[in-house]
């Protein structure tokens, strides 16, 4: 007696394929977003490490940072000296120095998390600008005791050019707000609630302290918050639980 063979009918196969397609459509965007955020987190942490390494090596050669500018009187002179000395110890693919509109930074104004213009680095003669070997745009500014380092991890021709998404700010203020011979992400001295407020795109959040969140909490989940500051699952970010899960 022949045994009957079990098999899916064409209709059943099509139904299964349809279910798989629906599940994929629902999950793949989240997976892609998560992967993209992890890559950005890695880039921010990498440039942070590279900046501090270069800053330390520059001081080993040229002496303490606060002694670099004894003969400089203008912002342009100080920024140029700062940029030249620190980039000597970085892998640079393009050096725009202090020149304007040379394509080392995105053309036009950067935006904050609410879409408002923040600053136009490419068109400024007060920043020393480079592109690193891995395509990151970096701009150096110095007023003497204080420094600003602006980073676009996507380079000049990609990404939204927005604070907290692909643009991040660093400086030389420690957790107490004091000027030090090291580079920290902007906002390192903020309490958790103030840091979170800076990263909520609800009219008050700018996003210029995003690098601090990334260095501290290893994620970009502040971008997932709704207008009420809640995660997609309804939870709120806290210092003990700084992730949307």
């Amino acid at each position: 007696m022949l045994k009957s063979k079990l098999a899916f009918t064409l209709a059943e196969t099509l139904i299964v394929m349809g279910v798989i397609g629906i599940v994929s459509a629902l999950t793949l965007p989240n997976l892609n977003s998560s992967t993209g955020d992890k890559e950005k987190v890695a880039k921010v942490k990498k440039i942070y490490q590279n900046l501090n390494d270069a800053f330390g090596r520059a001081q080993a050669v040229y002496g303490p940072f606060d002694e670099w500018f004894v003969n400089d009187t203008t912002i342009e002179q100080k920024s140029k000296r700062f940029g030249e000395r620190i980039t000597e110890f970085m892998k640079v693919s393009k050096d725009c120095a202090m020149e304007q509109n040379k394509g080392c930074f995105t053309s036009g104004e950067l935006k904050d998390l609410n879409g408002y213009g923040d600053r136009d680095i490419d068109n400024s003669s007060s920043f020393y600008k480079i592109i690193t070997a891995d395509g990151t745009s970096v701009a150096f500014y110095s007023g003497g005791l204080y420094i600003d380092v602006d980073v676009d991890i996507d380079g000049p021709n990609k990404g939204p050019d927005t604070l907290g998404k692909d643009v991040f700010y660093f400086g030389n203020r420690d957790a107490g707000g004091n000027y030090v011979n090291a580079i920290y992400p902007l906002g390192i001295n903020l309490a958790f609630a103030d840091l979170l407020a800076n990263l909520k795109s609800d009219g008050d959040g700018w996003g210029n302290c995003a690098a601090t969140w990334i260095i501290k909490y290893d994620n970009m989940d502040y971008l997932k918050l709704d207008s009420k500051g809640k995660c997609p699952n309804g939870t709120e970010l806290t210092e003990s639980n700084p992730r949307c899960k």
Side-chain angles (χ1 to χ4, degrees):
M1 181 177 179
L2 295 175
K3 294 181 179 180
S4 59
K5 296 183 179 180
L6 298 177
F8 289 112
T9 65
L10 177 59
E12 290 171 331
T13 302
L14 291 175
I15 291 173
V16 171
M17 292 178 66
V19 171
I20 293 174
I22 293 172
V23 172
S24 297
L26 293 174
T27 59
L28 283 178
N30 290 331
L31 289 175
N32 289 337
S33 175
S34 177
T35 300
D37 285 353
K38 287 180 179 179
E39 291 177 351
K40 290 180 178 180
V41 166
K43 286 184 177 181
V44 172
K45 295 175 77 172
K46 178 183 177 182
I47 191 63
Y48 176 49
Q49 180 179 351
N50 290 347
L51 286 169
N52 270 295
D53 178 66
F55 195 37
R57 293 171 66 187
Q59 291 188 86
V61 172
Y62 295 107
F65 166 74
D66 55 8
E67 298 177 4
W68 286 5
F69 311 105
V70 291
N71 296 317
D72 300 321
T73 57
T74 68
I75 293 294
E76 289 75 17
Q77 290 172 333
K78 294 173 183 177
S79 297
K80 184 174 185 291
R81 189 173 302 277
F82 174 47
E84 286 178 340
R85 289 188 172 179
I86 195 170
T87 58
E88 182 179 339
F89 303 96
M90 298 179 70
K91 294 181 179 179
V92 178
S93 65
K94 183 176 180 178
D95 190 338
C96 297
M98 305 296 293
E99 296 188 59
Q100 298 169 264
N101 303 313
K102 292 297 182 179
C104 277
F105 238 86
T106 184
S107 178
E109 286 191 331
L110 303 174
K111 299 180 289 291
D112 65 21
L113 282 178
N114 293 296
Y116 297 110
D118 184 68
R119 63 177 76 177
D120 186 348
I121 293 175
D122 192 48
N123 191 40
S124 173
S125 60
S126 297
F127 289 85
Y128 189 101
K129 301 169 280 286
I130 65 164
I131 299 177
T132 65
D134 66 356
T136 300
S137 292
V138 187
F140 302 91
Y141 176 95
S142 176
L145 286 179
Y146 68 91
I147 57 176
D148 289 322
V149 182
D150 301 350
V151 171
D152 186 338
I153 59 173
D154 289 331
N157 301 313
K158 292 172 59 180
D161 304 322
T162 300
L163 300 177
K165 293 184 177 181
D166 61 339
V167 177
F168 303 91
Y169 290 167
F170 298 85
N172 65 328
R173 273 77 82 196
D174 65 9
N178 304 302
Y179 297 123
V180 294
N181 290 343
I183 294 176
Y184 289 94
L186 190 66
I188 194 69
N189 59 317
L190 291 179
F192 180 84
D194 295 327
L195 179 60
L196 186 59
N198 177 267
L199 299 171
K200 289 165 58 179
S201 55
D202 60 356
D204 296 319
W206 293 354
N208 55 348
C209 296
T212 285
W213 182 280
I214 290 173
I215 300 302
K216 282 187 172 182
Y217 305 118
D218 205 36
N219 69 72
M220 297 177 70
D221 285 6
Y222 54 84
L223 294 176
K224 299 178 182 179
L225 302 180
D226 62 19
S227 60
K228 296 181 179 180
K230 293 187 176 182
C231 297
N233 62 3
T235 63
E236 295 183 358
L237 299 179
T238 64
E239 192 163 12
S240 59
N241 183 29
R243 291 180 177 272
C244 290
K245 295 183 178 180

